[in-house]
């Protein structure tokens, strides 16, 4: 598999340009793994465009970077049903 031509300098999930290379294939040119420093979304260059391209990433999973500090890290556990 070759790398896609998607712009990997923009995060597909939050549309920020604070992206860095997280890892690279031990076999040169096979794949590159990226991570967004804002929303911590990560993806490989070999994944489908729907998860790597900001224009095709599903709108319902997009994150507004200004709301990230308000997102609870651990969801609350509902009371136990009896």
């Amino acid at each position: 598999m070759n790398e896609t031509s998607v712009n990997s300098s923009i995060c597909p999930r939050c549309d920020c340009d604070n992206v860095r290379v997280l890892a690279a294939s031990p076999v040169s040119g096979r794949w590159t793994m990226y991570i967004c420093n804002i929303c911590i979304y990560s993806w490989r260059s070999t994944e489908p465009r729907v998860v790597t391209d900001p224009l095709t990433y599903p709108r319902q999973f997009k994150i507004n970077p200004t709301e990230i500090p308000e997102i609870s890290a651990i969801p609350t556990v509902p009371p136990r049903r009896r």
Side-chain angles (χ1 to χ4, degrees):
M1 280 186 139
N2 292 332
E3 293 193 28
T4 62
S5 60
V6 172
N7 181 352
S8 297
S9 63
I10 298 175
C11 175
R13 184 165 69 171
C14 73
D15 295 323
C16 289
D17 62 357
N18 194 342
V19 172
R20 65 182 169 88
V21 172
L22 182 62
S25 167
V27 178
S28 181
R30 289 289 181 156
W31 53 263
T32 304
M33 189 161 190
Y34 301 94
I35 189 165
C36 175
N37 292 318
I38 304 300
C39 72
I40 318 301
Y41 179 70
S42 61
W43 67 97
R44 290 180 309 275
S45 58
T46 55
E47 293 185 71
R49 288 185 84 94
V50 70
V51 295
T52 61
D53 186 347
L55 298 175
T56 59
Y57 190 83
R59 185 177 299 278
Q60 68 268 28
F61 298 121
K62 289 272 192 179
I63 291 177
N64 182 337
T66 62
E67 296 175 356
I68 291 174
E70 300 168 14
I71 298 173
S72 51
I74 302 173
T76 57
V77 178
R80 184 174 178 188
R81 293 186 212 172
R82 298 192 191 264

